[in-house]
Amino acid sequence: EFQTFQHYFKRINLSMAEGEDQAGRVLATDYVKLVSNDDHEFILKRSHALTSGTIKAMLSAPSSFNSNEMSKVQFREIPSHVLCKVCMYFAYKNRYTNSTSELPEFPNEPEIALE
């Protein structure tokens, strides 16, 4: 069931490309861009990113971001294959928190866990 993650990103990008911005529509500020050390960008729901206390603190710090623009967080020490897995975990955590259905195991390769 979790293979829909890439579809999740495509759907977000389509919504943002359509320029939705008012009631019932997607706002750029509802999303955050996470950037890996090899400059891969991951756009995800802000509520999912706030799963991380570290990201939450980074996004709440005073910044020069325009309040109408998407926030961007640069991770200078995290490669894209690891940051992708982190984003997948955020979506997994959001999907199954407070769920009454059986919790599937989160797919995590040992080599990524070590990084």
Side-chain angles (χ1 to χ4, degrees), residues 17-32:
E18 293 167 0
E20 297 174 332
D21 63 359
Q22 291 299 320
R25 296 183 179 183
V26 176
L27 297 171
T29 55
D30 290 339
Y31 294 86
V32 62

Side-chain angles (χ1 to χ4, degrees), residues 93-110:
K93 174 92 169 140
N94 184 268
R95 163 67 176 88
Y96 292 105
T97 296
N98 300 323
S99 175
T100 57
S101 64
E102 184 177 337
L103 183 66
E105 184 173 333
F106 180 73
N108 195 19
E109 298 79 29

Side-chain angles (χ1 to χ4, degrees), residues 44-63:
L44 63 154
K45 288 184 177 180
R46 178 179 287 272
S47 60
H48 290 196
L50 295 179
T51 298
S52 163
T54 301
I55 293 174
K56 188 175 190 176
M58 294 168 89
L59 292 174
S60 65
S63 67

Side-chain angles (χ1 to χ4, degrees), residues 77-90:
E77 297 184 14
I78 301 178
S80 58
H81 70 282
V82 174
L83 191 55
C84 180
K85 188 58 87 166
V86 169
C87 293
M88 289 174 67
Y89 177 74
F90 292 159

Side-chain angles (χ1 to χ4, degrees), residues 2-14:
F2 204 67
Q3 60 271 22
T4 60
F5 184 70
Q6 289 180 337
H7 174 71
Y8 165 79
F9 276 122
K10 287 179 186 174
R11 196 177 47 197
I12 290 172
N13 288 329
L14 286 174

